[in-house]
Amino acid sequence: MSAVGNEAVSADPQLNTQEPSRAQIKRWRKHLAEERMEARTYRDLSERRTGEERAVLLQLEEAERRHEEYWLARLGDHALPAPKPPLRTRAASVLAHLFGTIFILAMAQRAEQRSARDVDDDVPAHMQADEHIHAEVIRSLAAKSRETLAGTFRAAVFGANDGLVSNLALVLGVAATGVEPHVVLLTGISGLLAGALSMGAGEWVSVRSQRELLDASIPDPDAHQAVPDLDVDANELALVFRARGESEEEAERHARQVFVRLAKPANGESGAIAVRAALGGSPESDGAGDQVGTPVKAALSSFCFFAAGAFFPLIPYLLGMTSLAAIVVAAVIVGVALLFTGGVVGILSGQSPAPRALRQLIVGYGAAGVTYLLGWLFGTSIA
């Protein structure tokens, strides 16, 4: 047993004299398995990162190892055989490793936020505090990945959901009128093509416009060229910094620093580079690209995912099914897909996937149900 674990337990003499109950042993073994899983996750993540992020992840792993030692000390001989993590945790870990770093970070954040430990009186207060802080650390590490993913992922998720819901509603609405199955199929294919093209075009315009709006707020990378010609004693450079939110005194001081840096650049940089850095411009900057993605990628994602989602309601008709059986099968297939997409959104947001999956299902079925009812009423009225 490690010294760290023994010291943690010895800090409370009462803990050493009481034999744990079977319920406590079960909970403690679960905590032990989760701490080991989290430590291994942070180790895996650190191998995918470099620099400061890698160092942070390794420190998180070290903290989880300390927690592991604590539970080993509490359990004693009850720690053997080594406990397995809950099936839910293992399944989530497999999915995270299959789908990449952002999923791993999201699952790690979810694990740290899990409230089960907060209601367990046997978990020390300092360990609960550690887990809350770990969740914030992971949230910060995941923020950049989420920003990079945001534009394309938003288009993909909305495209898939729109395809699933709109084409299911279209197919059910037309089928409810009592037309022939081949008419329903042709209508669904038309809806797939029209919707996918519309979504792709709309997403391209949306992302392109958003990039242009954000680019308009980015500092002009060529503004530094005018700085050397300014009058050092009377110039408007300070107004730039005041317009960015600095006080008058801070702006004046910032402007003086720019001129000092221009006169005496640091080693390895030219005066132009020094001023560009001081003004906030960067030749390597990709403008708004990191925040909203590229229009082409967003449009392609939206087109492909809408088409994929819209294809699901057509499956039973492509297989030759008819009447009520085709409607039920289409609804079931789309329901499963809606649960999946909702769960993915929940995982990536670091929250529980179940409520978001259920929300997707209710909204999708609600829209399709209303359309089916309207189609049935319309078909009845013209019969």
Side-chain angles (χ1 to χ4, degrees):
M1 194 69 62
S2 76
V4 175
N6 285 327
E7 289 176 3
V9 176
S10 299
D12 189 345
Q14 186 179 8
L15 297 179
N16 295 323
T17 59
Q18 294 181 342
E19 180 68 19
S21 65
R22 294 183 63 179
Q24 285 179 312
I25 292 173
K26 183 178 180 180
R27 291 199 308 272
W28 296 356
R29 285 174 58 83
K30 176 175 175 288
H31 294 330
L32 174 61
E34 289 178 342
E35 298 293 358
R36 284 174 170 169
M37 176 69 77
E38 289 169 12
R40 186 160 59 249
T41 297
Y42 292 137
R43 167 62 65 174
D44 293 342
L45 275 173
S46 69
E47 294 174 355
R48 303 179 181 212
R49 299 298 174 110
T50 59
E52 189 64 22
E53 287 190 4
R54 175 179 169 81
V56 169
L57 288 166
L58 289 175
Q59 289 190 25
L60 287 175
E61 182 203 7
E62 182 181 346
E64 299 299 345
R65 294 299 182 192
R66 289 198 303 269
H67 296 174
E68 175 188 348
E69 294 292 343
Y70 174 86
W71 292 115
L72 284 171
R74 292 293 302 270
L75 284 163
D77 294 337
H78 298 296
L80 297 175
K84 294 182 179 180
L87 180 60
R88 176 186 61 185
T89 303
R90 283 180 283 167
S93 178
V94 171
L95 289 174
H97 283 80
L98 284 175
F99 289 106
T101 301
I102 180 60
F103 273 82
I104 299 177
L105 286 169
M107 292 307 305
Q109 180 182 337
R110 170 64 182 154
E112 297 290 3
Q113 290 175 330
R114 195 172 296 127
S115 59
R117 297 177 187 174
D118 293 348
V119 298
D120 189 343
D121 294 335
D122 293 328
V123 179
H126 74 272
M127 195 176 294
Q128 294 182 25
D130 283 350
E131 301 298 351
H132 285 298
I133 296 302
H134 291 177
E136 291 306 310
V137 174
I138 294 300
R139 191 195 310 276
S140 299
L141 291 176
K144 185 175 181 180
S145 296
R146 286 192 176 109
E147 288 175 1
T148 302
L149 187 67
T152 302
F153 177 74
R154 177 178 60 85
V157 169
F158 286 140
N161 282 327
D162 284 351
L164 288 165
V165 176
S166 65
N167 224 31
L168 176 66
L170 177 62
V171 167
L172 264 59
V174 173
T177 64
V179 299
E180 294 296 323
H182 73 275
V183 176
V184 178
L185 178 59
L186 290 175
T187 303
I189 293 174
S190 299
L192 183 156
L193 294 174
L197 290 170
S198 175
M199 287 290 294
E203 195 63 35
W204 188 92
V205 172
S206 173
V207 174
R208 183 66 183 177
S209 300
Q210 191 174 0
R211 282 175 62 96
E212 290 170 351
L213 287 173
L214 292 174
D215 283 339
S217 301
I218 295 174
D220 183 356
D222 296 326
H224 69 280
Q225 297 177 359
V227 174
D229 296 327
L230 291 174
D231 187 335
V232 176
D233 297 319
N235 65 79
E236 285 73 39
L237 182 58
L239 296 179
V240 174
F241 302 118
R242 290 177 65 182
R244 294 179 184 176
E246 296 183 8
S247 66
E248 183 175 358
E249 293 76 12
E250 291 174 337
E252 293 289 349
R253 183 169 59 254
H254 199 165
R256 287 194 297 271
Q257 291 173 352
V258 170
F259 283 106
V260 169
R261 192 168 179 179
L262 176 62
K264 297 180 179 180
N267 292 335
E269 70 175 5
S270 66
I273 293 177
V275 175
R276 182 188 292 116
L279 289 176
S282 173
E284 292 81 15
S285 176
D286 188 30
D290 289 341
Q291 299 180 46
V292 298
T294 65
V296 173
K297 285 184 178 179
L300 288 175
S301 295
S302 188
F303 176 90
C304 293
F305 278 90
F306 183 97
F311 176 77
F312 281 92
L314 304 180
I315 291 176
Y317 292 94
L318 290 171
L319 295 177
M321 300 180 69
T322 60
S323 64
L324 184 61
I327 292 175
V328 171
V329 171
V332 170
I333 293 174
V334 170
V336 173
L338 287 172
L339 289 173
F340 176 78
T341 57
V344 169
V345 172
I347 290 174
L348 286 178
S349 62
Q351 305 297 325
S352 174
R356 285 146 188 84
L358 186 60
R359 179 182 63 190
Q360 296 283 84
L361 183 65
I362 293 174
V363 171
Y365 274 2
V370 170
T371 309
Y372 179 85
L373 179 60
L374 292 174
W376 178 77
L377 292 174
F378 181 76
T380 302
S381 65
I382 63 174

